Amino acid sequence: MKPSILLCGAFWIMVTSPVPAQPGHPEEFQKRPNIILIVADDHARQAVSAYDSTLIRTPSIDRIAEEGLLFSNAFVTNAICGPSRAVMLTGKYSHKNGLRDNRDRFDGDQPTFPKFLQETGYQTMVIGKWHLRSLPQGFDYWSILPGQGEYYNPRFIRLGDTVRLTGYVTDLITDVAIEALRARDSSKPFCLLYHHKAPHRNWMPNIPQLELFNDRTFVPPENFFDTYATRSRAAAEQEMEIGQHLFDGFDLKLPIEYVRQSGRDTAIVPGWDAVGAWAATLRSLTDHQRQAWERAYGPENMAFVQNPPEGRELALWKYQRYLKDYLRCVVSLDENVGRLLAFLDSEGLSRNTLVVYTSDQGFFLGEHGWFDKRFMYEESLGIPLMVRYPVGIEAGSKSDALVLNLDLAPTILQLAGVPIPEDVQGKSLVPLFQAEPGVPWRSSIYYHYYEYPHGWHAVKKHNGVRTDRYKLIHFYDDIDAWELYDLQTDPHEMINLYEDPGHQEVVGQLKRELQKLRTQLGDEEEESETK
Ligand SMILES: [Ca+2]
């Protein structure tokens, strides 16, 4: 065990915090903090105004950063849903926690941070998205969405019993979370995993947001019509283009009769009944909900059906519909985060509660022409990450350290005063809570994506390394291709420099770094899988 992690969190805060102790409240420095881990699903940094206010304002989420610490270089180790959640729970890479892709089932018998907290006196709860196939372990209370969950009138599995609630999923997850906090055992610190479905596909907004942005036309990213020149065929061979791979019904909400007649949706993902899924979703709405939807989408849908755009115009039409629905879901998410923060204020809990906001990965909002995630490119690799902990973090702090979702478990354990097990691969972020220069930190991150050829969107297996300036990616399996990007001169990753004579030294350094990380982290399986 490393010496630094023997320090209990509360003690560490007492000895190193530059935040002065509040007169009359010395006891709060002795307390174990409450913990709330907010995880959105597929929430891109481009849609969090603390990072970028071009598309949208997210005042409640931003509040966490304004009153705490914003990480500008936070990433995932494997940009896909279930695997990222498993990484957060265990502090271990996918090859160690066993959940490499969404097909795998999480082995709930393994150690997780909620289990350690529960064993050491925390009241532990998980509410909302879970998506790990096995049921939660290590929680005193849980109420989770089955699988991907539903936006309207969703089912929850509450301590093993399935119940269906009427309403909108983001509101309901918040209602259940606040209810659970009200009913908590206040003699114990609590740890709440507050996990949203939004803004995951199929981006169904809540009724109050259905017509939001109707008067706006969003400007697509400059590389929306990317031709994938200079890159390996991995980029060109994906199946996640807004222009081609969104379902007309399930994703774009075009009328079901039109979708049935065109027959296009049935060919996009063979074996998945996209039309049936959309019809079932519409049937699950109440009369009131269906009428609101008809009012909101009806006129624009009618105009589309009467005169369908083609070619580039069609791709741009899809981009507007996709992005607006995505952002509408984010607005509701932001409002509900605001509700939870207001509840903490009203209960006097804000000061001694660590609040973390993040997403299970980033997302493409039209960059390279795409939706979805998976690639090691910046938009899906990067995540929003901000932490608020007034006892130990000065408001308005910022960090550009290379941090990972892998680091959340050890961070939470340290703050809770629980020794971090030696086999945890993440690093506690607590040393970064104080804006002191010279904190020893990692200079590169390691990434590995596995879901190919099974699974959706045809993104090839790849691993890679990213430093503060460069990124080297190796696509393997039915391909053997390398890509190198200079993020300083090419932040949108359009120019693959792998073959560039001027970059061979960098290539060599990064290959050595990649090999070093794979050895250190015990991830040597790639060769045996390469065909
Ligand atoms: Ca996700």
Side-chain angles (χ1 to χ4, degrees):
M1 191 168 297
K2 298 169 199 161
S4 63
I5 56 180
L6 287 168
L7 296 176
C8 114
F11 174 74
W12 185 88
I13 293 294
M14 274 192 294
V15 295
T16 65
S17 173
V19 181
Q22 299 298 303
H25 298 281
E27 71 280 2
E28 72 183 1
F29 291 90
Q30 314 290 339
K31 277 198 242 166
R32 302 170 85 193
N34 302 308
I35 291 151
I36 298 183
L37 175 59
I38 310 174
V39 181
D41 197 335
D42 296 357
H43 194 182
R45 286 194 297 219
Q46 309 91 289
V48 180
S49 49
Y51 290 94
D52 184 346
S53 58
T54 311
L55 297 177
I56 194 174
R57 291 271 168 197
T58 50
S60 296
I61 295 167
D62 293 3
R63 185 185 159 196
I64 298 167
E66 285 158 12
E67 298 175 359
L69 167 58
L70 180 77
F71 288 98
S72 55
N73 278 314
F75 306 101
V76 290
T77 63
N78 183 0
I80 185 163
C81 312
S84 173
R85 293 166 194 278
V87 168
M88 286 190 268
L89 286 171
T90 59
K92 294 173 190 167
Y93 273 87
S94 305
H95 62 276
K96 292 290 184 188
N97 69 45
L99 197 83
R100 289 175 178 79
D101 61 48
N102 276 338
R103 192 180 53 172
D104 294 330
R105 181 175 183 274
F106 183 64
D107 170 14
D109 290 339
Q110 67 186 301
T112 61
F113 82 81
K115 286 187 183 178
F116 288 119
L117 296 189
Q118 188 184 41
E119 285 162 11
T120 59
Y122 271 79
Q123 188 174 8
T124 54
M125 301 171 261
V126 58
I127 291 160
K129 188 78 176 264
W130 178 249
H131 197 209
L132 291 171
R133 293 185 183 260
S134 56
L135 292 177
Q137 293 187 36
F139 295 95
D140 297 303
Y141 181 75
W142 50 275
S143 188
I144 58 166
L145 306 174
Q148 292 285 6
E150 298 132 326
Y151 270 109
Y152 278 85
N153 314 321
R155 287 164 297 153
F156 284 79
I157 310 174
R158 183 199 290 159
L159 298 172
D161 293 327
T162 301
V163 292
R164 188 182 287 280
L165 302 182
T166 302
Y168 188 67
V169 70
T170 310
D171 293 343
L172 292 169
I173 288 170
T174 310
D175 293 346
V176 174
I178 289 176
E179 210 174 287
L181 287 178
R182 279 194 208 283
R184 75 189 184 279
D185 175 356
S186 55
S187 69
K188 291 180 168 184
F190 66 81
C191 173
L192 166 67
L193 276 54
Y194 168 60
H195 287 189
H196 279 286
K197 169 179 174 63
H200 190 277
R201 190 181 197 176
N202 64 339
W203 316 293
M204 290 179 74
N206 197 5
I207 289 171
Q209 281 84 41
L210 282 174
E211 296 179 58
L212 193 64
F213 307 120
N214 268 2
D215 55 349
R216 266 187 81 173
T217 302
F218 289 95
V219 179
E222 278 180 28
N223 57 3
F224 183 71
F225 291 108
D226 196 347
T227 58
Y228 315 117
T230 82
R231 279 148 287 167
S232 73
R233 61 186 171 90
E237 291 180 6
Q238 48 58 43
E239 294 172 1
M240 49 194 259
E241 287 177 27
I242 288 170
Q244 287 193 58
H245 302 108
L246 285 172
F247 297 115
D248 284 349
F250 186 73
D251 293 325
L252 295 167
K253 290 93 178 179
L254 285 166
I256 191 84
E257 311 77 40
Y258 170 85
V259 172
R260 282 210 176 95
Q261 277 171 16
S262 84
R264 268 198 304 269
D265 281 4
T266 50
I268 292 176
V269 178
W272 192 68
D273 181 10
V275 182
W278 182 229
T281 303
L282 290 174
R283 278 198 304 275
S284 75
L285 301 182
T286 65
D287 289 346
H288 167 72
Q289 291 163 349
R290 200 177 300 111
Q291 286 157 11
W293 269 65
E294 189 48 44
R295 272 197 305 278
Y297 291 91
E300 210 179 84
N301 281 353
M302 186 64 74
F304 180 97
V305 170
Q306 285 173 350
N307 189 16
E310 291 176 5
R312 286 194 164 207
E313 289 309 310
L314 178 60
L316 290 169
W317 186 94
K318 290 180 178 182
Y319 165 76
Q320 295 295 331
R321 175 63 61 93
Y322 156 65
L323 188 70
K324 286 178 185 181
D325 280 344
Y326 179 96
L327 295 177
R328 289 164 180 151
C329 293
V330 172
V331 169
S332 159
L333 173 64
D334 186 67
E335 286 179 1
N336 276 283
V337 169
R339 280 177 66 207
L340 188 77
L341 296 179
F343 174 79
L344 297 181
D345 290 342
S346 70
E347 296 285 305
L349 290 168
S350 295
R351 190 159 169 79
N352 194 45
T353 298
L354 171 80
V355 177
V356 179
Y357 187 86
T358 193
S359 171
D360 60 347
Q361 3 65 211
F363 214 65
F364 294 99
L365 300 181
E367 300 86 0
H368 306 288
W370 298 341
F371 63 100
D372 214 70
K373 53 258 181 178
R374 300 160 195 269
F375 278 106
M376 198 193 167
Y377 301 136
E378 289 294 277
E379 292 83 359
S380 59
L381 176 70
I383 44 171
L385 179 65
M386 50 192 89
V387 294
R388 185 184 78 173
Y389 181 40
V391 173
I393 297 173
E394 210 165 342
S397 300
K398 288 186 165 49
S399 171
D400 62 2
L402 300 174
V403 302
L404 292 165
N405 59 344
L406 187 75
D407 301 329
L408 290 172
T411 304
I412 289 168
L413 290 175
Q414 185 179 357
L415 282 177
V418 180
I420 301 166
E422 278 185 57
D423 60 352
V424 163
Q425 296 178 305
K427 285 165 72 83
S428 167
L429 302 173
V430 171
L432 301 173
F433 284 6
Q434 315 303 318
E436 287 168 8
V439 174
W441 199 251
R442 63 169 74 88
S443 56
S444 65
I445 59 160
Y446 176 67
Y447 182 86
H448 200 161
Y449 173 81
Y450 304 83
E451 194 173 287
Y452 183 86
H454 57 277
W456 290 39
H457 302 302
V459 175
K460 295 183 190 300
K461 288 182 181 173
H462 58 290
N463 60 14
V465 59
R466 185 199 190 281
T467 66
D468 60 352
R469 177 161 182 183
Y470 293 102
K471 185 186 294 178
L472 181 75
I473 310 176
H474 182 214
F475 293 95
Y476 70 97
D477 192 52
D478 61 354
I479 185 175
D480 180 10
W482 294 82
E483 297 181 6
L484 173 75
Y485 297 100
D486 181 343
L487 300 168
Q488 197 169 301
T489 59
D490 180 27
H492 304 299
E493 297 161 294
M494 299 295 287
I495 305 159
N496 176 14
L497 296 168
Y498 183 72
E499 302 285 353
D500 178 55
H503 283 83
Q504 293 314 298
E505 200 180 323
V506 175
V507 167
Q509 283 166 359
L510 289 176
K511 279 192 169 178
R512 286 190 293 279
E513 183 68 13
L514 181 60
Q515 189 49 52
K516 188 186 89 183
L517 289 172
R518 290 180 58 195
T519 305
Q520 269 176 9
L521 297 166
D523 188 18
E524 304 280 359
E525 73 182 41
E526 178 193 325
E527 279 82 1
S528 61
E529 289 203 352
T530 300
K531 290 168 192 160

